[in-house]
Amino acid sequence: MTVTDVELAVGTSGLLAAFNEAGVLDVSDVRVADRICFLGKESDERVALAVALLVRGLRGGSVCIELETIASDIGVDDLPCPEPGVWLAVVRDSALLGSVLHLYDDRLLYLDRYWREEKQVCDDLLALHVSKPIGDVPASERLFPAGFEEQREAAEIALAQAVTVLTGGPGTGKTTTVARLLALLAEQAQLAGAPRPRIALAAPTGKAAARLQEAVLLEVAKLGEADRARLGQLQAMTLHRLLGSKPDTASRFRHDRANRLPHDVIVVDETSMVSLTMMARLLEAVRPDSRLILVGDADQLASVEAGAVLADLVEGISARTDMRVATLKTSHRFGESIGLLAEAIRVGDADRALELLHAGGEHIEFIEADDASDALRSVLLPHAVRLREAAQYGADDVALATLDEHRLLCAHRKGPYGVRHWNRQVEQWLSEATGQPAWSEWYPGRPLLVTANDHGLHVYNGDTGVVVARPDGLRAVIAAAGGPLDFATSRLSDVETMHAMTIHKSQGSQADEVTVLMPGEDSRLLTRELFYTAITRAKSKARVVGSAASVRAAIERRAVRATGLRARLRK
């Protein structure tokens, strides 16, 4: 990055200016640090630099920084970084320490909010773990017969502790385990003469909640009549809806430490997407005698907000002697080749991943081309045409099913590899093929992605849908957690076209076929976790479009976030 690429913070000098001019800090990092130091009467530029780097880290998902390693972590060896020991001593002596800034373990530096939230998450988890008497546990062999050994072991771990982290890759049977575990808990309550347990099913996004609802009900339907009767009606919802959103704040909820959730069992799916802040809000709302089951894949991308909660929980709890992580390892979803590719990416074996991609087959396709437009057109246009045809006939169910047949996943939002470019490109192709005006914002078959929560309409960030034709005009049909919702298009403001979507936004969803568009190998967004998340969205076919160099760069680069939660949990 050159100086001409950087927006400079006017009026800044010294260390902040040097790091800003080098492109390490942006204007917002500098301005926040200046303001905090001004209000806290802190004049040492080394403290201001530490604050600015903390703010920068938060933008990348880290909740803290380690001053001794920050220079090497962000590659600033040629900048005037303070000597680590002296820098740490200056921060220890700062008037900001203990109020705006906090040190954990005399090495990790936090802003106050995240230090408090991380400490709270650790304290609340451990308090919840020891607070609930487990009681008599029914035999698990009835619901987990031969062939379900991994799931049975995971369920027995969950039955034996009040807080459980259930982790595993796609198709390893996490939902099967959850549904049958809930049946065991309902049986346990009945045997104890207790009322039917109040069960909450939740996920971070509307799409993830809809998938959880569908998957759990499918598994419950396989159970016996007595188990189904004991469980009653199960309804999945977003975490925002579970906690009860307030109209005047996006970070606080109706349910909190003074107004706890009424549920006996709370299951949270796609926990990798849960930020540190949201986990703090959830835990403070859980009753001390409740059971909490956190489900997810720790190898997926972490939340778009700060924290890496699920990965921290897996590592931190695994190091304890009084708690266990329930891990599922055997995948049953994919064709063998997709599963092998996902595993090669997960463990960082770039050579094996490229070998599988080049071998191809029924479930894997690798397109290496300088210009992939023709190859992408042959995939994207037929899907868009099928979606349009179903929408023109007003066939809601067919249109929603067609929507889930394929996803184009991009790492970027902007640029030639970005979502915006490819959404426009597909609409241009669709216009050429069908006569659909290219400038139309609303048209039959327009795929929709909800980008913000609307509690009044009961649609949430991550929900997907399609515009369909009706005799009285166009309607937007959204696949929400509780079932399809139908709106006039004028009622939806926070939506965007979804011929293509970012890999981050794809978390919590699946498609029969996925096409992953890899950016250039120098893209800073290319990471192992990003690539793994993209590939594991596919049910039956994964297509990768890009160079071998980009694939290798993605697999060899980790998305590292600085946190202290795993260290806190180990103590």
Side-chain angles (χ1 to χ4, degrees), residues 1 28 31 54 62 70 166 179 263 269 345 361 464 482 523 526 562:
M1 180 180 289
S28 64
R31 295 302 182 218
L54 267 174
S62 294
I70 189 68
L166 172 61
H263 305 91
D269 197 18
I345 296 169
T464 58
S523 168
L526 267 184

Side-chain angles (χ1 to χ4, degrees), residues 248-493:
D248 57 339
T249 175
S251 60
R252 290 290 173 178
F253 300 90
R254 286 191 298 106
H255 289 289
D256 54 19
R257 211 173 293 281
N259 180 31
R260 307 275 187 153
L261 289 163
H263 305 91
D264 304 297
V265 182
I266 299 171
V267 178
V268 179
D269 197 18
E270 298 290 353
T271 307
S272 64
M273 300 168 65
V274 178
S275 68
L276 177 65
T277 297
M278 180 56 81
M279 184 58 71
R281 300 293 82 79
L282 172 66
L283 287 169
E284 69 186 10
V286 176
R287 290 200 336 257
D289 59 344
S290 295
R291 188 186 295 270
L292 181 63
I293 303 166
L294 302 172
V295 185
D297 184 349
D299 294 303
Q300 284 190 30
L301 284 167
S303 165
V304 294
E305 299 175 51
V309 174
L310 182 60
D312 285 346
L313 294 182
V314 170
E315 290 200 27
I317 291 174
S318 296
R320 298 181 65 89
T321 58
D322 59 341
M323 298 175 73
R324 294 175 63 190
V325 174
T327 304
L328 301 173
K329 298 179 179 178
T330 306
S331 179
H332 308 282
R333 175 191 297 173
F334 302 121
E336 182 182 0
S337 54
I338 297 180
L340 292 173
L341 176 59
E343 179 62 14
I345 296 169
R346 188 187 72 81
V347 301
D349 190 341
D351 291 336
R352 177 60 172 153
L354 285 167
E355 177 187 336
L356 290 164
L357 285 169
H358 284 123
E362 179 184 356
H363 302 289
I364 289 179
E365 183 179 357
F366 188 29
I367 299 174
E368 292 184 272
D370 293 334
D371 183 357
S373 295
D374 290 342
L376 286 172
R377 188 180 194 278
S378 68
V379 174
L380 302 176
L381 180 57
H383 179 250
V385 169
R386 291 195 306 275
L387 188 60
R388 182 175 185 269
E389 290 173 348
Q392 283 182 314
Y393 284 110
D396 299 5
D397 292 344
V398 176
L400 290 174
T402 302
L403 184 65
D404 286 339
E405 287 178 2
H406 181 267
R407 290 279 192 278
L408 173 62
L409 302 182
C410 304
H412 291 260
R413 289 192 59 81
K414 301 177 183 178
Y417 300 101
V419 165
R420 293 181 183 176
H421 169 78
W422 287 100
N423 274 325
R424 289 194 300 267
Q425 182 63 77
V426 173
E427 288 181 329
Q428 181 63 43
W429 287 334
L430 194 60
S431 175
E432 295 168 356
T434 67
Q436 170 73 43
W439 62 85
S440 298
E441 179 183 11
W442 296 97
Y443 53 87
R446 180 192 178 192
L448 300 174
L449 175 67
V450 178
T451 59
N453 297 329
D454 188 325
H455 304 288
L457 297 181
H458 301 293
V459 297
Y460 299 93
N461 187 9
D463 283 351
T464 58
V466 63
V467 177
V468 300
R470 294 274 195 271
D472 57 345
L474 297 177
R475 304 284 291 183
V477 179
I478 304 296
L485 301 174
D486 187 319
F487 302 103
T489 57
S490 60
R491 298 188 67 190
L492 293 175
S493 56

Side-chain angles (χ1 to χ4, degrees), residues 177-186 199 201 231 234 265 267 293:
T177 305
V178 166
R180 293 172 180 258
L181 170 60
L182 293 177
L184 277 175
L185 292 171
I199 297 170
L201 303 177
L231 284 172
L234 297 174
V265 182
V267 178
I293 303 166

Side-chain angles (χ1 to χ4, degrees), residues 522-541:
D522 58 345
S523 168
R524 290 183 295 176
L525 295 181
L526 267 184
T527 64
R528 184 185 307 176
E529 291 78 6
L530 186 88
F531 194 22
Y532 173 84
T533 299
I535 291 296
T536 54
R537 299 309 91 205
K539 292 182 182 178
S540 61
K541 184 168 185 177

